[in-house]
Structures are given as structure tokens and as C-alpha cells.
Amino acid sequence: MAAAIGAGGGGGVNGAARRGGWRDLSLLLLAVLASTALLLWAVGDRTFAAIFAAGLVGAGGLALVLDRFGRAAPVEAPMTAGVDVGLIRAALDAAGESEALAVSEADGRLLSANAAWARLCGTAPPAAVNDITATAAIAARRDGAAAFELLVSGDLWRGEARVVGSDGRLLWRLTRATEVDPVAEGQRLLAGETGRRLDEAGIMLALTDGDGRLHAATAGLAQRAAGESEPVEGANLVDFLWQSEDGAFRFAAEGKTGPPLRIVQIPTGEAPDSPSFFLMLDDMPGARVGEEGIAHVQALLDTLPLGLALADTDGRFVHLNAAFRKAAGLGAKETAIWPGDLVVDEDKAAVSDAVRRFGRGRALSGDLAVRMKLNPEEPVALTVAGARGLGPAAVLLSLKDNSEEARLKREIAQATKMQAVGQLAGGVAHDFNNILTAILGTCDLMLMRHTPGDSDYDDIQQIRSNSNRAANLTRQLLAFSRQQTLRPRVLQLPDVVAEVSHLLTRLIGERIKLDVKHGRGLGPIRADPGQLEQVIVNLGVNARDAMLGKEEGGTLTLQTYAVSAEDVRRMGTDVLPIAEYTAMKVTDTGAGIPPHIIGKIFEPFFTTKEVGKGTGLGLSTVYGIVKQSGGFIFAESKVRKGTTFTLYFPVHRAAPGEAAAKTRRKEKAGELWGNETVLLVEDEAMVRAVAERALTRHGYTVLSAENGEAGLEMLAREGKVDLLISDVVMPTMDGPTTARAARRTHPDLPILFISGYAEEQLRKSIDLPNVAFLAKPFSVQQLAETVREVLEK
């Protein structure tokens, strides 16, 4: 599966885009050229400079891994009505491996994808790959298109989700950010300035295909191999070489009189038939460098951007350049004697053994996966290579600073964990809602037979009160999992802040000052005002608790302001899509959140309060409401100075003909009675029994069925049914399928769905007119009001 880097409207990458392997190779060759030239100037020994260049290129070449190509079976959704899936698949496959393409339905299901997409993202719906693609789907449906980026197996892929057609389908496109044609890039390098400078340094380089045929070569190599008149392109490299009895390779044109060659192969990929670079140097052993030359070598290492260090045959450090110090976590004045001092205790023996083995044996190289003391949770690659002719230095060590990559991995793991926990919480809340519906309904029916003063009245009220508390917990779980039912409408954020500020003043107490600031030019947003008030209250209460320990109290600041697209662009964040936002900052002057905790604050049931003083659902509810409303939330904190939560909500642009939200009319008690016939389809027996009794008490004739098939049979037998009430998720035949079958014989039949899942999610999969929705758990009063409202439409 793909790993999330950043989210936003389409998401972006939390970090800079990486250069491709071929660009790395170009930089390596230029670094070799600069190093060799400096060494020639310092030492004056052309032979040693050539040997040093060969060793450096060999070590660097081992670290270059380019595109990995795999084969995956293309993905194809089941037959979709009115859509030629085969034709779509053929069009997607035409892109080949250069692009990963997929098409998803309006409800999010995967319609079709080519093999490249299947290899990268599997068969999951594109919007369900991770939080990045989920956010991209929302942004694309809102803006028409959204850009994002994914990190897959260490490779950066740039993506786009775009609405295609009038039926709401999305076209997903992924292109490799590091895609380069190896042969064309190699020919360009060798034919240009890079090839000329390599010739001046006495370095011969050739590019061959998997069979050894030459595609390009430096001019010096071509002249020594074939003379000035004969071109080498198209010929086999082996034809220009001759192996003597002592096993050394020489150019065939030079015969025994020619110097032996040191040949280093640098494959451009892992496949056996991948093109390869062949580095050739005259192998004239015996050259050594003195103390002055060693100083120049160390100065040269300090100028390179790679993390490089030198160690002697005993394994002691001789020199560490600045990049190596940074990657190892060493300060400017800190020292390390042994390479093993930089790694955790479990890896010390392996590192020490490798350094001694490569320092005293043949001039080979190898990679070790080690854990640094700086960050023991993230393994890094340590390259160890034998070095010769550098005086006391016998080993060259290379360490890559992968702190940015480690940060991206942590964020991806956190996003994946939050998504998994959200799915679990949503499923638990849905099942619990069925139980609460039965309990609340039974309490309401019992209260109809008891009046205040009866011996059982207070007990029933206590059961009902505790059930409502439990229902509130399930709503918080659904909010975190982004599955709660929202009633969004277009509003101004300052109006919501003004409504809730009076309540917030009472909640935070007299010792804490509430400071409200509003910016100018704020655009409207689309959100549920009640849930938005819940967000502000939760953040305010958390801020109050953080400031209670201060004798002088504290200040809680609510600030709203406008954020333009240009402001987002200047922020340089890859998480926030470039668009216009209305933002709100909630800042306190409390104790702050430690760095090791701030990454967990949005997880459900995570709390730092004492046992019994917090559910751990406050901030997780805030997170879920903001994300379900299409917004973003960020937390920044400094210990003993305070915490700031910043919320970004996209500015709402009203579509042509968009109607204002209707206000639900409250029914009078006398209007809740009726004499119509209601067909009730519910697979949970306890919910079905409560709903049947409640509707019967209000005068309705109720026909109850335990599944969709039984409900359709009753509908066919009865002469007239005025309303169909159905659960959504049921075995064998679900609610939407039952409703569609009922509409074929009763096209004007009103339908009321009851479910513990979010109405917004359900309406995406229900394409029927005249359909109402009632969220579980509901009371007898709410059921009667909704039934009356649907029947009178």
C-alpha cells in the first residue's frame, strides 16, 4: 500500500521532493571530477588521483538505486451499469508503466485501474488508500481537481484527482517524480560537459545495455579502445578488452604493452538486463600519499555533501566531515573515537567487526542496517568500504542523514493508525447505537405509564439519563471516525464564536481571561454550527485545564482571520492545499504539551488527566469534526509557555441555484398521531419491537419484518402501505436494495431510513428521491415527529 506523506486537498509531501537516481549519478560524477582535480593540485600525483577517484565512484555507485519496475495484475471492478469497463481499462493500460491510472465511482468504489496503479496501491478504493487520497477526493469534488503526493517504497509519486464527466467519477493519476530514461540521460551526460571533464581528469566511462553493447563512452575511452576513426557505439564492450595470463584486463588495441585496467560496474537498476556504467582506470598499484596529501583528502571530504568518515585498520576514526557529524547527531565540539560509539549497544559488535574486516581485507564495500543512538527507533544504512593508499586511513564510512525520511515515515504510520482506530471506533459505535435505541425507547414507553411521584418514575429517569450519556459517548466516537451525521450550512465563523463565547466564559471561570479577536474579510464556510460550537468548547475546556495550575490564571485567546491562497503558498506546507481559508487560532498560556506527547493528542481515549477525570475523547472529537467538515487542524506547543490549535476551513463558494438550508419545523404534540399503515423493516429484534410499540401507541398500523425479503412479501400482500421504515445495514438484502425493489411496484412510496451510520455517507450510496433519514439512537418522540413529517411532505 502507499504511504501517506502529507495531506491536503489533495495532499502534498511533508518534505522536499527527491531527485531521481540519475540526477544523483550526475552529481556523483561532478563530485568525483572536483575531488580528483583538487587532489591532483595538492599531491601532484596523477596515478593516485585516478585510484582515489575510482574508489570514490565505486563507493558512491553502490548507494545508487534507480527505478524498480514490477508487474502487477490490472484491477477491474465488477460490471457497472451503463459503463464499458473494458474500454476504460484499455484506455488506462495504454499509459503503460509511466503512469499509474485509476477511475473511481461517485460513491468512491474503484471502477478500473491499470497495472501500474495495482502495483502501487492495490485494489482498495483510491480514496481509501490513506488520509492523503481521502482528502484529495474531497478537494477534487469541491474544486474539480486536486494535487497530492505519495511516498511508495521510498519513491516519490506526484498525483492528481480530477472530476471527469457529469456523473461524479474521479480520474486518478500518479507519475513518478524521479522518472528518467537511463540510456538517454547517460548519453546526454557523456556527450556533454560532464564527459569532457572526465576526460580531462583521465577517467574513462562507458554506458552499456544489459547485453554489453555500448550506447555512449567518453572520448578518451573511445580513442584508446578503437582509435580515432572507428566509432564504438553499438559494439560490444567485451570486444575491446583483452585478459592477460595474470587475470588483468587491458585494451585489446594496446596489447601487453598497455597498462592494466581497474573496471568498476555501476548498474542502473536491480534487473539483470538493466543498463550499466563501466568506470575504467589505469590500475598502477604502489602509489601512496604522505601526511600533506592526507590533509588535502580530509579537506576534500569536508567539501562534499555526503556524510563521509575515515577510520584506520583498528577501527578508530581518523576524520569525520560535517555531513557525517550531522547525520550521526554529533555536535560541533563532540568527538567519537570508534564507529561503534555512534550506534546502540546491540549494533556495536556488527559495526566494529565490519570496520576491521574491510580495513584489513580486500578493498570491498558493504551496507549495514544500524540504529543510531540519536534515534534508535529508525534504522539507517551505514556503508563501509575498504580504502587503500590513504596513509593511516583504511576504511571509508558513509552515513546518510535520513531525518526527513524518518519524519515522513512517522507521520504516515500515525495517519494509518488514526484511520484504523477510527474504523474500529465507528463500528463499535454503530453496534452500540442499536442497544441504546432499544433502551431509550423502552424508557420512553415506560414513562408513558408512569407519572412523577410513582415509585418507579425516578428509576426510569435515571436509566434514561445514563443512556443519554452513553449516547453522547457514541456520538464522540462517530465524530472521531468521521461517521457522525452532520447538518452543515453556510455560516460565518465569527457568528459561531459569538454564540458560544458566553457559555465558554462560564466554563473557564473568573481566573481565566477570554480574549476574542476577529479579522476582516472572512469568507463563509460550510459546517454544522452545533458541531463547530462543540469544537470550540472542547478546545476551551482543555485550555482551562492546562491553566488551572497557575496561580495568576491565564488567557484564552480566540482569533479568526482570513488566509488567502498566496498566504498558503508562502507558508510552504505540503499538507494544506493551496486555496482560500477562514482560520481560527485557539491559544492558551498554560503548561504546554511535551514533544513526546503532542503526536498522540488526537488519538481516542488518550488523556494525561487523572483516572476518572477525562474520557480522552475531547480532542479526538475535535479532530473528527474538523476533518469531516473538510478542514485541517494543527497543534503547536511549548512547555511552560502554552499551546496553539489552528483550524483551517475552506471558504465556501455557493454553486448556482444552491438553496438555503431549511429549518425543521417543530411539531405540536397533537400532530404526532396518525392512522396510516407503516411497514417496518429492521433486523435487530429489540429495535424493531420498540419502534413497533411506539408507532402503534401513536395510532399507526404497523407491519414489521425482520429482513428485506420478508418486507417485500408483506408489501406485495397488503393493499396499501403509506410509509416504509427500513434499517440500512441488514443481512442478505440491505435497506437501499429493499427500497429500490419497493419503488418498482410503489413508485410514490415515502421511505424513512434509520441507521447508526452518518447520513452523509449513506446518501452517497442511495440514489432515490423522497427519502428521509433518522439517526440512531432516537427517542419515541423523535421517531413520531420524523414519521409525521415524512408523511405530510
Side-chain angles (χ1 to χ4, degrees), residues 3 66-67 344 354 584 637:
L66 301 179
D67 302 341
V344 298
M584 178 175 65
S637 184

Side-chain angles (χ1 to χ4, degrees), residues 482-793:
R482 295 174 244 171
Q483 296 178 17
Q484 68 170 341
T485 297
L486 298 181
R487 304 292 181 186
R489 62 184 179 87
V490 179
L491 50 84
Q492 287 288 342
L493 189 56
D495 295 340
V496 179
V497 175
E499 286 288 336
V500 79
S501 59
H502 300 292
L503 171 62
L504 202 55
T505 301
R506 294 194 297 271
L507 288 174
I508 62 178
E510 297 179 354
R511 294 176 60 249
I512 298 176
K513 176 186 175 183
L514 178 62
D515 188 9
V516 179
K517 303 175 183 178
H518 295 304
R520 296 183 178 181
L522 273 66
I525 66 174
R526 189 172 185 271
D528 186 324
Q531 297 298 327
L532 209 52
E533 291 177 4
Q534 183 69 45
V535 167
I536 298 173
V537 168
N538 284 10
L539 292 175
V541 170
N542 271 13
R544 176 202 65 188
D545 295 343
M547 293 183 283
L548 284 179
K550 289 193 171 184
E551 296 181 0
E552 68 277 13
T555 302
L556 174 61
T557 304
L558 301 182
Q559 179 184 3
T560 60
Y561 59 98
V563 180
S564 66
E566 184 59 31
D567 292 335
V568 177
R569 190 176 288 107
R570 282 196 296 267
M571 288 165 62
T573 174
D574 293 319
V575 176
L576 204 61
I578 297 177
E580 294 182 351
Y581 296 90
T582 294
M584 178 175 65
K585 280 188 176 181
V586 182
T587 305
D588 65 63
T589 57
I593 305 173
H596 68 281
I597 291 179
I598 197 167
K600 304 177 181 179
I601 59 175
F602 293 120
E603 296 179 9
F605 306 114
F606 177 82
T607 179
T608 57
K609 298 178 182 178
E610 298 177 12
V611 177
K613 292 189 176 181
T615 62
L617 290 172
L619 288 178
S620 64
T621 300
V622 169
Y623 174 85
I625 293 173
V626 172
K627 297 293 285 184
Q628 193 174 357
S629 302
F632 302 85
I633 181 169
F634 303 94
E636 299 177 2
S637 184
K638 291 185 178 180
V639 177
R640 294 187 296 276
K641 290 189 177 181
T643 303
T644 297
F645 287 91
T646 307
L647 290 73
Y648 295 90
F649 295 96
V651 173
H652 178 71
R653 303 299 182 192
E658 182 176 344
K662 295 182 180 180
T663 303
R664 180 172 174 174
R665 180 173 60 90
K666 290 288 185 180
E667 302 288 349
K668 297 180 181 179
E671 298 176 349
L672 300 181
W673 296 85
N675 57 4
E676 291 88 348
T677 300
V678 177
L679 174 58
L680 174 64
V681 182
E682 168 64 62
D683 62 314
E684 287 286 344
M686 52 187 176
V687 177
R688 186 171 67 250
V690 168
E692 181 179 0
R693 290 175 58 193
L695 293 174
T696 302
R697 281 181 174 269
H698 283 83
Y700 297 100
T701 300
V702 182
L703 308 173
S704 62
E706 67 276 7
N707 55 54
E709 293 90 337
L712 292 176
E713 291 177 2
M714 288 185 180
L715 184 63
R717 289 198 307 266
E718 293 297 323
K720 180 182 180 183
V721 173
D722 301 294
L723 174 65
L724 169 63
I725 301 178
S726 174
D727 191 9
V728 175
V729 180
M730 295 184 295
T732 64
M733 181 180 289
D734 60 14
T737 304
T738 303
R740 292 189 189 96
R743 281 284 176 84
R744 284 197 285 268
T745 57
H746 297 70
D748 299 325
L749 179 64
I751 297 172
L752 171 62
F753 283 116
I754 54 177
S755 177
Y757 287 108
E759 177 180 1
E760 180 183 356
Q761 288 183 328
L762 296 176
R763 288 196 181 276
K764 292 179 181 179
S765 60
I766 301 173
D767 53 352
L768 296 173
N770 193 18
V771 170
F773 179 85
L774 179 62
K776 297 177 182 177
F778 50 79
S779 64
V780 170
Q781 178 80 4
Q782 290 172 324
L783 177 61
E785 288 177 355
T786 306
V787 168
R788 193 71 257 156
E789 181 182 347
V790 173
L791 288 172
E792 292 184 357
K793 280 186 178 180

Side-chain angles (χ1 to χ4, degrees), residues 440-452 454 456-462 464:
L440 287 171
T442 303
C443 289
D444 289 341
L445 293 173
M446 293 178 68
L447 287 174
M448 291 180 180
R449 303 194 302 271
H450 294 77
T451 58
D454 290 353
D456 295 334
Y457 185 84
D458 290 340
D459 293 336
I460 299 172
Q461 284 286 25
Q462 186 66 31
R464 194 174 191 278

